[in-house]
Amino acid sequence: MKIYNNDEKYMLEAIKEAKKAEAKLEVPIGAVLVLEGEIIARAHNLRETNQNALAHAELLVIDEACRKLGTWRLENATLYVTLEPCPMCAGAVILARVNRVVYGAKDPKGGCAGTFMNLPEDERFNHRSEVVSGVLEAECGELLTSFFRGIRERKKAEKKLRKLEETDLQ
């Protein structure tokens, strides 16, 4: 049996959330927020479900934690998320005063916690969050890779089916 460190332990919980998103045909991104060794909030992407550009896992988990704790300050909390935060989510981390951000897979198209820039650790802000990247990176990355592969395969099959139907109609 594999023994996980705490970052891996909580990332596995974020992966469970990502799988909930995938089951809803959402991009499989999950997040948990941990305070004093306890998960205080869980969330996954709901952009398609809610038709809301703000329904990222990170924003939803921060919102839940703030409501649960009755404060917007999450100073001693750690955010675990399966994909590197985008600029909007990295900004929310700073504004909520999250202490640490731990993520799995890098986001080469929009990551702002180390890839394009590193907003949470930028010294120009009055609050900085420690960033830890690459925790269970392969597992987190595979979730996304297989999800998008599945979408491409479905689109290819649908296109093939349409062509067959068009041929039958002629």
Side-chain angles (χ1 to χ4, degrees):
M1 183 172 150
K2 182 168 180 169
I3 297 174
Y4 296 96
N5 67 36
N6 278 342
D7 284 347
E8 290 173 337
K9 171 185 162 185
Y10 293 121
M11 187 60 73
L12 287 170
E13 294 298 318
I15 288 171
K16 287 180 187 176
E17 286 298 314
K19 288 179 179 180
K20 290 178 187 177
E22 183 176 35
K24 297 175 183 176
L25 300 179
E26 294 277 355
V27 176
I29 300 169
V32 297
L33 205 110
V34 176
L35 182 64
E36 297 172 1
E38 181 184 339
I39 295 174
I40 58 168
R42 300 170 170 273
H44 53 273
N45 261 16
L46 290 173
R47 282 193 320 175
E48 297 300 326
T49 301
N50 295 352
Q51 287 300 295
N52 184 338
L54 304 177
H56 287 208
E58 300 96 321
L59 294 183
L60 296 172
V61 82
I62 287 170
D63 182 56
E64 181 183 330
C66 290
R67 282 187 285 112
K68 197 175 274 185
L69 296 174
T71 181
W72 61 271
R73 293 177 181 269
L74 302 174
E75 291 165 326
N76 296 312
T78 300
L79 170 68
Y80 292 88
V81 61
T82 55
L83 182 66
E84 180 180 1
C86 71
M88 175 176 66
C89 294
V93 163
I94 295 165
L95 294 174
R97 308 290 197 264
V98 173
N99 187 50
R100 285 177 79 227
V101 177
V102 179
Y103 69 86
K106 291 185 183 304
D107 183 355
K109 294 183 178 180
C112 284
T115 298
F116 283 130
M117 61 187 71
N118 191 340
L119 290 177
E121 291 185 328
D122 191 313
E123 293 182 5
R124 293 172 291 179
F125 292 110
N126 69 336
H127 174 80
R128 283 170 292 292
S129 302
E130 176 190 353
V131 174
V132 177
S133 64
V135 175
L136 298 181
E137 183 173 12
E139 293 87 338
C140 293
E142 181 53 35
L143 274 171
L144 293 158
T145 300
S146 64
F147 176 78
F148 288 113
R149 184 183 313 118
I151 287 176
R152 286 189 300 275
E153 289 169 0
R154 279 192 298 279
K155 284 183 178 180
K156 192 185 295 185
E158 288 169 3
K159 187 175 180 180
K160 193 180 274 188
L161 184 61
R162 278 195 304 277
K163 280 188 176 185
L164 284 172
E165 289 171 346
E166 288 172 6
T167 305
D168 288 345
L169 292 174
Q170 292 175 353

